Amino acid sequence: MNRLPLFIPFALCLALGAFLFFSLGKDPLDLPSALVGEPFPEFVLEELHEPERQVSTEDFDGQVLLVNVWATWCFACRIEHPWLNSLAKDGVVIVGLNYKDHRKLAQDWLQERGDPYQFSIFDPRGILGIDLGVYGAPETYLVDAEGVIRHRRVGVVDERVWNEEFRELYQQLVDEANDQ
Amino acid sequence: MIAEYGHVALIIALCLSIAQAIVPMAGSFAGYRTWMRLGHSLALGQLVFVAISFACLTTAFVQDDFSLQYVADNSNTLLPTQFKISAVWGAHEGSLLLWALILAVWSAAVALFSSHLPLVLSSRVLSVLGAISVGFGLFILLTSNPFARILPFSPTEGGDLNPLLQDFGLIVHPPMLYMGYVGFSVAFAFAVAALIGGQFDSAWARWARPWINSAWVFLTIGITLGSWWAYYELGWGGWWFWDPVENASLMPWLVGTALVHSISVTEKRGAFRSWTLLLAILAFSLSLLGTFLVRSGVLTSVHAFANDPERGVFILAFLGLVVGSSLLLFALRGPVVQRQQGDTEAVSYSGLSREMMLLLNNVLLISAMAMILIGTLYPLIADVLDLGKISVGPPYFNFFFVPMSLGLMVAMGFAVFSRWKKTDANMLLQKGMVPFLISLSAALILPLFLAESISWETYSMTAVITLGASFWVVTMSLEDLWQKLDRGSSKAASNVSSRLKSLTKLPGSYWGMQVAHIGIAVCALGVGLSSVYDVQKDVRMVPGDRVEVAGYEFTFDNLSFVQGPNFGASRAQISAYKNDRLVAVLHPEKRKYEARNQVMTEAALDAGLTRDLYVSLGEPLKGDAWAIRLHVKPFVRCIWLGGLMIGLGGLLSVMDKRYRRRRKPSTQSGTEATAL
């Protein structure tokens, strides 16, 4: 009898295994967010450095800002971090969303690498992450003065991505906000 | 100290499982009976030590030992004791320990109840189970140790269990689900042992069948409980979200369902051999894949706990080893299994027969599984291949799954009447006539009365199809039952008491099939009707307001503040009236859990067979107004009632006397020599 068909499941399994392995190594996905054009989801969570302080969308304070999802277990976040530091130095307002992490580790991480965030939302269970539809870290959301999400980037934001996807829109939103 | 005992017990259990993986297997090849028998004692020993380890972790939770990282992350002094216990499996590390415990329970059960099996077979089965347990033992100890300490500065208070999980549903849902997942490891071990030994016949199928059926029963009940939990605890009124984690439990269930059917062909007719083996391997592989998807962090879901790529690599390697090696074994040994000693003639069956019906069942179930697998993994695969970024949502799943389920139900009606080898098509059509007319009229007429008003706008085609398919399955099943009873009573066909007497003579597996099939119909009825006639209103209400939803009047009586053990809550009192008669008083809550400052919606519901009233509190608005969501969900309860019936059907089949009666002959036929 022909034995080849019996190897089909094995071959399929190998192929699937390869996919899963590559997806482990990759940055999580760049999914077009259904939330672009929608208000940033409501949340009430602790601040990373000050556990007794509750932060919410009110703390966005009508500023045009970036919300950056990060975690200490996320390798790509390390690559991204220096660029966020330099953006913050240039006056871009960035809010951190510390995602599924341990508080102590996250604080040490920022101490070591510099803290570009105006404040960091501490979300150890990924509650806000689910509302946002976070697919993995890092992710960055551009929020306008009205608190509406205008752009989403899944994966690292570096100088190239900033110039291609964010710079123009960000400037435009800031100008609009200043006009009012 | 207790935590260290637990840690040591876990290490001892790992050592025992290493021995269990090697010694009986080696013995089975060398022919040393003492080595083979050792597997049984090792399995029991392993259970003892994993149980000790589990008890130690539970003790650490009950005693609030926050020097353990895992306890500190997932418990709190204010947490009620029953939730401290269920918090043991509330997150990653502990749920893996539960996995290991349940695997040990299944292994020990195999060791205890396999005395009628040939020793070569049972020792190999235990060896394979031992090998799986080595994998999990290493995984826990190397990457996810629940006994890791935070020293020297341990916190004085814990972070509390996720409020979503502080619920009765979480106490029972994961253990049930894991019993099902892990139970398929026994089916897997039986399949691998058969492949190694090359002995795979009706006797094998009869031995493996109760194990496969019981695992399937646990998985069925686990999924049903999970869906019920999501319904009342997540506060959205949904009961299935096509979330990756839900898909991960549905895929092994679909394959398991196919397996439950295909193994009956293997047992009764000796056919579908390689296919049954492949399904047994596949069911367990998908259980492991589910674990990988949940634990590795490649997908985000409602249920995902701590995600960690390192764990992902470990599980993937383990998954690859288990699935890859077993499928390779299948490819190499498959031909040996197909050519059995004693098979003089090939098993034959015609184009219309029970065999073909069950094949159709398998094809549909496996296609459904494949499309869920593709939908779940598509975002990953597309990303690796750079095909663009697409997320797959409920529309995709419903598009494929609903027609396939309907196809299954139509076939199910006929299948009950089909005969082995060859079935007369005219007979089937003849039998189907009356049920067809009953279902058709029910399907056309009933939607008129279910809708709010009799008009074309409210007349729903979905309801027609759902009712038609469900009535079809039920009436066909009942007709078959009636005729079986007819045959049981010798002469007086109209004599009701003699028919009732013959009820008891039908075998358990027949009753199991009937109950499970009717359960499918009940479940489908719930799914279809609740989706069509569900009415939902989001309203702004102040105390004293009255709102009408689908014939019910809801009044917002008052709002109070209540203090729970570890939360404070705003609790509304909402009364529901129908025709000015009070039918229910509901108390939905908005809870704030202190330890995490997390806000939770606790929906209130009034359950009934024909409708649920479901009320949840949204956000407080200006003044004393609240956003309130009011639902009337007709027949939603049938979904879980049907699920439980399916499980009960499986249970009846497990208890079929046939599997115990044949114990004696099988010990004789199963001599060790034939298996080698």
Coordinates of all heavy atoms in Angstrom, one line a residue, chain A residues 47-94:
Chain A
E47 N -1.1 54.2 39.5 CA 0.1 54.7 38.9 C 1.2 53.8 39.3 O 1.3 53.2 40.3 CB 0.3 56.1 39.4 CG 1.0 57.0 38.3 CD 2.5 56.9 38.3 OE1 3.1 56.4 39.3 OE2 3.1 57.2 37.2
L48 N 2.2 53.6 38.3 CA 3.3 52.7 38.6 C 4.1 53.1 39.8 O 4.4 52.2 40.6 CB 4.1 52.6 37.3 CG 5.4 51.7 37.4 CD1 5.1 50.3 37.7 CD2 6.3 51.9 36.2
H49 N 4.5 54.3 39.9 CA 5.4 54.7 41.0 C 4.7 55.1 42.2 O 5.2 55.0 43.3 CB 6.2 56.0 40.5 CG 7.0 55.7 39.2 ND1 8.2 55.0 39.2 CD2 6.7 56.1 38.0 CE1 8.6 55.0 37.9 NE2 7.7 55.6 37.2
E50 N 3.4 55.5 42.1 CA 2.7 55.9 43.3 C 1.4 55.0 43.4 O 0.4 55.4 42.9 CB 2.3 57.4 43.2 CG 3.4 58.3 42.9 CD 2.9 59.6 42.4 OE1 2.1 60.3 43.1 OE2 3.4 60.1 41.3
P51 N 1.5 53.9 44.0 CA 0.4 52.9 44.1 C -0.9 53.5 44.6 O -2.0 53.1 44.2 CB 0.9 51.8 45.0 CG 2.4 51.9 45.0 CD 2.7 53.4 44.8
E52 N -0.7 54.5 45.5 CA -2.0 55.1 46.1 C -2.7 56.1 45.1 O -3.8 56.5 45.4 CB -1.7 55.7 47.4 CG -0.8 56.9 47.5 CD 0.7 56.5 47.2 OE1 1.0 55.3 47.3 OE2 1.5 57.4 47.0
R53 N -2.0 56.4 44.0 CA -2.6 57.4 43.1 C -3.3 56.7 42.0 O -2.8 55.8 41.4 CB -1.5 58.3 42.5 CG -2.0 59.3 41.5 CD -0.8 60.1 40.9 NE -1.3 60.7 39.6 CZ -0.5 61.0 38.7 NH1 0.9 60.9 38.8 NH2 -0.9 61.6 37.5
Q54 N -4.6 57.1 41.8 CA -5.4 56.5 40.7 C -5.3 57.4 39.5 O -5.4 58.6 39.6 CB -6.9 56.5 41.2 CG -7.1 55.7 42.4 CD -7.1 54.2 42.0 OE1 -7.8 53.7 41.1 NE2 -6.3 53.5 42.7
V55 N -5.0 56.8 38.4 CA -5.0 57.5 37.1 C -6.1 57.1 36.2 O -6.6 55.9 36.3 CB -3.6 57.4 36.4 CG1 -2.6 58.2 37.2 CG2 -3.2 56.0 36.2
S56 N -6.6 58.0 35.4 CA -7.7 57.7 34.5 C -7.5 58.6 33.2 O -6.5 59.4 33.2 CB -9.0 58.0 35.1 OG -9.2 59.4 35.3
T57 N -8.4 58.6 32.3 CA -8.3 59.4 31.1 C -8.2 60.9 31.5 O -7.8 61.7 30.7 CB -9.4 59.2 30.1 OG1 -10.6 59.1 30.8 CG2 -9.2 57.9 29.3
E58 N -8.8 61.2 32.6 CA -8.8 62.7 33.0 C -7.4 63.2 33.2 O -7.1 64.3 33.0 CB -9.5 62.8 34.4 CG -11.0 62.8 34.2 CD -11.8 62.9 35.5 OE1 -11.2 63.4 36.5 OE2 -13.0 62.5 35.5
D59 N -6.4 62.3 33.5 CA -5.0 62.7 33.7 C -4.4 63.0 32.3 O -3.3 63.4 32.3 CB -4.3 61.6 34.4 CG -4.8 61.4 35.8 OD1 -5.7 60.7 36.1 OD2 -4.2 62.1 36.7
F60 N -5.1 62.7 31.2 CA -4.5 63.0 29.9 C -4.6 64.6 29.7 O -3.9 65.1 28.9 CB -5.3 62.4 28.8 CG -5.1 60.9 28.7 CD1 -5.7 60.1 27.7 CD2 -4.2 60.2 29.5 CE1 -5.5 58.8 27.6 CE2 -4.0 58.9 29.4 CZ -4.6 58.1 28.4
D61 N -5.6 65.2 30.5 CA -5.5 66.6 30.6 C -5.7 67.4 29.3 O -5.2 68.5 29.2 CB -4.2 67.0 31.3 CG -4.4 68.0 32.4 OD1 -5.6 68.3 32.7 OD2 -3.4 68.6 32.9
G62 N -6.4 66.8 28.4 CA -6.6 67.5 27.1 C -5.3 67.7 26.3 O -5.2 68.6 25.5
Q63 N -4.3 66.9 26.6 CA -3.0 67.1 25.8 C -3.0 66.1 24.6 O -3.6 65.1 24.7 CB -1.8 66.8 26.7 CG -1.7 67.6 27.9 CD -0.6 67.1 28.8 OE1 0.5 67.6 28.6 NE2 -0.9 66.2 29.7
V64 N -2.3 66.5 23.6 CA -2.0 65.5 22.5 C -0.9 64.7 23.0 O 0.1 65.2 23.5 CB -1.6 66.2 21.2 CG1 -1.3 65.2 20.2 CG2 -2.7 67.2 20.7
L65 N -1.1 63.3 23.1 CA 0.0 62.5 23.7 C 0.0 61.1 23.1 O -0.8 60.7 22.3 CB -0.3 62.4 25.2 CG -1.7 62.1 25.7 CD1 -1.9 60.6 25.5 CD2 -1.8 62.5 27.1
L66 N 1.1 60.5 23.4 CA 1.3 59.1 23.0 C 1.0 58.2 24.2 O 1.5 58.5 25.3 CB 2.7 58.8 22.5 CG 3.3 59.6 21.3 CD1 4.7 59.2 21.1 CD2 2.4 59.3 20.1
V67 N 0.3 57.1 24.0 CA 0.3 56.1 25.1 C 1.1 54.9 24.6 O 0.8 54.3 23.5 CB -1.2 55.7 25.3 CG1 -1.2 54.6 26.4 CG2 -2.0 56.8 25.8
N68 N 2.1 54.6 25.4 CA 3.0 53.5 24.9 C 2.9 52.3 25.9 O 3.0 52.4 27.1 CB 4.5 54.1 25.0 CG 5.5 53.0 24.7 OD1 6.3 52.6 25.6 ND2 5.6 52.5 23.5
V69 N 2.5 51.2 25.2 CA 2.4 49.9 26.0 C 3.7 49.2 26.1 O 4.4 49.0 25.1 CB 1.4 49.0 25.3 CG1 1.2 47.7 26.1 CG2 0.1 49.7 25.1
W70 N 4.2 49.0 27.3 CA 5.5 48.4 27.5 C 5.5 47.4 28.7 O 4.6 47.4 29.5 CB 6.6 49.4 27.7 CG 6.4 50.2 29.0 CD1 5.6 51.2 29.3 CD2 7.2 50.0 30.2 NE1 5.7 51.6 30.6 CE2 6.7 50.8 31.1 CE3 8.3 49.1 30.5 CZ2 7.3 50.9 32.4 CZ3 8.8 49.2 31.7 CH2 8.3 50.1 32.7
A71 N 6.6 46.6 28.7 CA 6.8 45.7 29.8 C 8.2 45.3 29.9 O 9.0 45.4 28.9 CB 5.9 44.4 29.6
T72 N 8.6 44.9 31.1 CA 10.0 44.5 31.3 C 10.4 43.2 30.6 O 11.5 43.0 30.2 CB 10.4 44.4 32.8 OG1 9.5 43.4 33.3 CG2 10.3 45.7 33.5
W73 N 9.3 42.4 30.4 CA 9.6 41.1 29.7 C 9.7 41.2 28.2 O 9.9 40.3 27.5 CB 8.5 40.0 30.1 CG 7.1 40.5 30.0 CD1 6.3 40.9 31.0 CD2 6.3 40.6 28.8 NE1 5.1 41.3 30.6 CE2 5.0 41.1 29.3 CE3 6.5 40.4 27.5 CZ2 4.0 41.4 28.4 CZ3 5.4 40.6 26.6 CH2 4.2 41.1 27.1
C74 N 9.4 42.4 27.7 CA 9.3 42.6 26.3 C 10.7 43.1 25.8 O 11.1 44.2 26.2 CB 8.2 43.7 26.0 SG 8.4 44.7 24.6
F75 N 11.3 42.3 24.9 CA 12.6 42.6 24.5 C 12.6 43.8 23.6 O 13.5 44.7 23.7 CB 13.2 41.4 23.8 CG 14.6 41.6 23.4 CD1 15.6 41.6 24.4 CD2 15.0 41.8 22.1 CE1 16.9 41.8 24.0 CE2 16.3 42.0 21.7 CZ 17.3 42.0 22.7
A76 N 11.6 43.9 22.7 CA 11.6 45.0 21.7 C 11.5 46.3 22.4 O 11.9 47.4 21.9 CB 10.4 44.8 20.7
C77 N 10.9 46.3 23.6 CA 10.7 47.6 24.3 C 12.1 48.2 24.7 O 12.3 49.4 24.7 CB 10.0 47.4 25.6 SG 8.3 46.8 25.4
R78 N 13.1 47.3 24.9 CA 14.4 47.8 25.2 C 15.0 48.6 24.0 O 15.7 49.6 24.1 CB 15.4 46.7 25.5 CG 14.9 46.0 26.7 CD 15.8 44.8 27.0 NE 15.0 43.9 27.9 CZ 15.5 43.0 28.6 NH1 16.8 42.6 28.5 NH2 14.7 42.3 29.5
I79 N 14.7 48.0 22.8 CA 15.2 48.7 21.6 C 14.5 50.0 21.4 O 15.1 51.0 20.9 CB 14.9 47.7 20.4 CG1 15.6 46.4 20.6 CG2 15.3 48.4 19.1 CD1 15.2 45.3 19.7
E80 N 13.2 50.0 21.7 CA 12.4 51.2 21.5 C 12.8 52.4 22.4 O 12.6 53.5 22.1 CB 11.0 50.8 21.6 CG 10.0 51.9 21.4 CD 8.6 51.4 21.6 OE1 8.2 51.0 22.8 OE2 7.8 51.5 20.7
H81 N 13.2 52.0 23.6 CA 13.2 52.9 24.8 C 14.1 54.2 24.5 O 13.6 55.3 24.8 CB 13.7 52.2 26.0 CG 13.2 52.9 27.3 ND1 11.9 52.8 27.7 CD2 13.8 53.6 28.2 CE1 11.8 53.5 28.8 NE2 12.9 54.0 29.1
P82 N 15.3 54.1 24.0 CA 16.1 55.3 23.8 C 15.4 56.3 22.9 O 15.4 57.5 23.2 CB 17.3 54.8 23.0 CG 17.4 53.3 23.4 CD 16.0 52.9 23.6
W83 N 14.6 55.9 21.9 CA 13.9 56.8 21.0 C 12.8 57.5 21.8 O 12.6 58.7 21.7 CB 13.4 56.2 19.8 CG 12.6 57.1 18.9 CD1 11.3 57.1 18.7 CD2 13.2 58.2 18.2 NE1 11.0 58.2 17.9 CE2 12.1 58.9 17.6 CE3 14.5 58.8 18.1 CZ2 12.3 60.0 16.8 CZ3 14.6 59.9 17.3 CH2 13.5 60.5 16.7
L84 N 12.1 56.8 22.7 CA 11.1 57.4 23.5 C 11.7 58.5 24.4 O 11.2 59.6 24.6 CB 10.4 56.4 24.3 CG 9.5 55.3 23.6 CD1 8.9 54.4 24.6 CD2 8.5 56.0 22.7
N85 N 12.9 58.1 25.0 CA 13.6 59.1 25.8 C 13.9 60.4 25.0 O 13.7 61.5 25.6 CB 14.9 58.5 26.3 CG 14.6 57.6 27.5 OD1 13.7 57.8 28.2 ND2 15.5 56.6 27.7
S86 N 14.3 60.2 23.8 CA 14.7 61.5 23.1 C 13.4 62.2 22.6 O 13.4 63.5 22.6 CB 15.6 61.1 21.9 OG 14.8 60.6 20.8
L87 N 12.3 61.5 22.4 CA 11.1 62.2 22.1 C 10.6 63.0 23.3 O 10.2 64.2 23.1 CB 10.0 61.2 21.7 CG 9.9 60.6 20.3 CD1 8.7 59.6 20.2 CD2 9.7 61.7 19.3
A88 N 10.7 62.4 24.4 CA 10.3 63.1 25.7 C 11.1 64.4 25.9 O 10.6 65.4 26.3 CB 10.4 62.2 26.9
K89 N 12.4 64.2 25.5 CA 13.3 65.4 25.7 C 12.8 66.5 24.8 O 12.9 67.7 25.1 CB 14.7 65.0 25.4 CG 15.7 65.7 26.2 CD 17.1 65.2 26.1 CE 17.3 63.9 26.9 NZ 18.6 63.2 26.5
D90 N 12.3 66.1 23.6 CA 11.8 67.2 22.6 C 10.4 67.7 23.0 O 9.9 68.4 22.2 CB 11.8 66.6 21.2 CG 13.2 66.2 20.7 OD1 14.1 66.8 21.3 OD2 13.3 65.4 19.7
G91 N 9.9 67.3 24.1 CA 8.6 67.8 24.6 C 7.4 67.0 24.2 O 6.3 67.5 24.4
V92 N 7.6 65.8 23.6 CA 6.4 65.0 23.3 C 5.9 64.4 24.6 O 6.7 63.8 25.3 CB 6.8 63.9 22.2 CG1 5.6 63.0 22.0 CG2 7.3 64.5 21.0
V93 N 4.6 64.5 24.8 CA 4.0 63.9 26.0 C 3.8 62.4 25.8 O 3.1 62.1 24.9 CB 2.7 64.6 26.4 CG1 2.1 64.0 27.7 CG2 2.9 66.1 26.6
I94 N 4.4 61.6 26.7 CA 4.2 60.2 26.5 C 3.7 59.6 27.9 O 4.2 60.0 28.9 CB 5.5 59.4 26.2 CG1 6.2 60.1 25.0 CG2 5.2 58.0 25.9 CD1 7.5 59.5 24.6

